[in-house]
């Protein structure tokens, strides 16, 4: 689409950064879905947890590691705490992410995306 002289878009570094972040999420999601396509061990709850964690990671400006409490992850994924723990353990064991639990109520667990 062509813009008239008065309607030219000015380069916005914030918009550019958002595009780069969107590309990060798109790449991670694409690779995840490619991997789970043939992995029937991954169910709907696993997907909900993974997507909720990915969204939290994006909110945190892609800081590695993602630091999150189980109650936050479970609420974002709309699953119970026990389902969250099972899904996160499964995703860790299957190699879709790396989960380092804190075992402390006052310290968030760490999650690394591959």
């Amino acid at each position: 689409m062509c813009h008239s002289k008065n309607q030219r878009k000015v380069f916005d570094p914030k918009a550019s950064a958002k595009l780069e972040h969107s590309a990060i999420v798109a790449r991670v999601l694409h690779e995840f879905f490619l991997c789970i396509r043939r992995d029937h061990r991954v169910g709907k709850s696993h997907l909900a947890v993974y997507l909720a964690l990915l969204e939290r990671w994006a909110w945190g400006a892609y800081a590695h590691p993602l630091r999150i409490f189980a109650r936050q992850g479970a609420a974002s994924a709309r699953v119970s705490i026990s389902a969250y723990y099972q899904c996160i353990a499964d995703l860790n064991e299957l190699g879709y992410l790396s989960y380092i639990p804190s075992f402390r109520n006052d310290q968030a667990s760490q999650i690394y995306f591959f």
Side-chain angles (χ1 to χ4, degrees), residues 88-107:
I88 202 87
D90 291 346
L91 291 167
N92 181 62
E93 184 179 318
L94 296 170
Y96 293 111
L97 51 79
S98 178
Y99 170 61
I100 303 168
S102 71
F103 299 112
R104 293 181 52 178
N105 290 336
D106 63 338
Q107 187 176 10

Side-chain angles (χ1 to χ4, degrees), residues 6-75:
N6 294 335
Q7 294 177 329
R8 280 195 192 149
K9 292 190 177 187
V10 177
F11 176 74
D12 181 5
K14 289 182 181 178
S16 177
K18 288 179 185 178
L19 179 62
E20 290 172 16
H21 291 311
S22 296
I24 292 169
V25 171
R27 182 184 54 81
V28 171
L29 270 177
H30 177 72
E31 290 175 13
F32 177 69
F33 279 108
L34 281 177
C35 292
I36 67 166
R37 185 172 287 150
R38 289 178 230 114
D39 191 347
H40 298 288
R41 300 170 292 183
V42 177
K44 291 183 262 184
S45 295
H46 295 94
L47 290 172
V49 169
Y50 191 87
L51 292 174
L53 292 173
L54 192 61
E55 180 185 34
R56 287 285 185 148
W57 185 49
W59 283 357
Y62 306 96
H64 264 288
L66 165 66
R67 296 181 191 278
I68 189 167
F69 291 97
R71 65 184 174 274
Q72 294 171 321

